[in-house]
Amino acid sequence: VPPNSIIETSHAWRSFCDLSPHALTLFLVMPKEPVIRLSEAEDSGECLLGHLMTVGKKRAAHLGPTNGFRMVVDEGPEGGQPVCRVHLRILGDRQLGWPPG
């Protein structure tokens, strides 16, 4: 992660701007614990993964998507996981369609 893209960091996670954004507001929250895929997270990771969603919500409130946002976790190659590490993507500031992709 380039240092100039880091938004905030803690002992358990870091949030940073996406290097190739797909929305006006797009940032990621990634745990520092090396969880490769959501499907590989143990029950002990439940608290950490829930905490990522809380951090994402707080960062979204601070960074400004005012009419809503979307949180996404990609799983594996067919699920569009671009890096081999669990991360939460927060998108906002434009109308997002459904279904995605």
Side-chain angles (χ1 to χ4, degrees):
V1 177
N4 62 340
S5 69
I6 295 174
I7 298 169
E8 188 174 357
T9 188
S10 84
H11 69 282
W13 53 267
R14 73 173 45 119
S15 62
F16 52 94
C17 298
D18 193 311
L19 299 177
S20 57
H22 302 283
L24 293 175
T25 297
L26 195 151
F27 64 94
L28 301 118
V29 181
M30 182 180 289
K32 290 184 176 177
E33 183 179 316
V35 179
I36 304 304
R37 288 183 172 191
L38 189 59
S39 61
E40 296 173 2
E42 301 293 327
D43 289 343
S44 61
E46 190 174 313
C47 186
L48 173 64
L49 296 170
H51 184 66
L52 291 181
M53 294 191 80
T54 301
V55 169
K57 174 193 69 132
K58 289 178 180 176
R59 296 288 60 80
H62 180 72
L63 294 172
T66 55
N67 292 318
F69 56 90
R70 180 177 290 169
M71 291 184 177
V72 178
V73 177
D74 301 319
E75 169 71 23
E78 289 187 16
Q81 186 176 5
V83 296
C84 294
R85 188 105 180 236
V86 166
H87 59 281
L88 180 66
R89 207 184 287 253
I90 293 87
L91 302 96
D93 286 329
R94 76 173 177 94
Q95 182 65 48
L96 300 166
W98 192 261

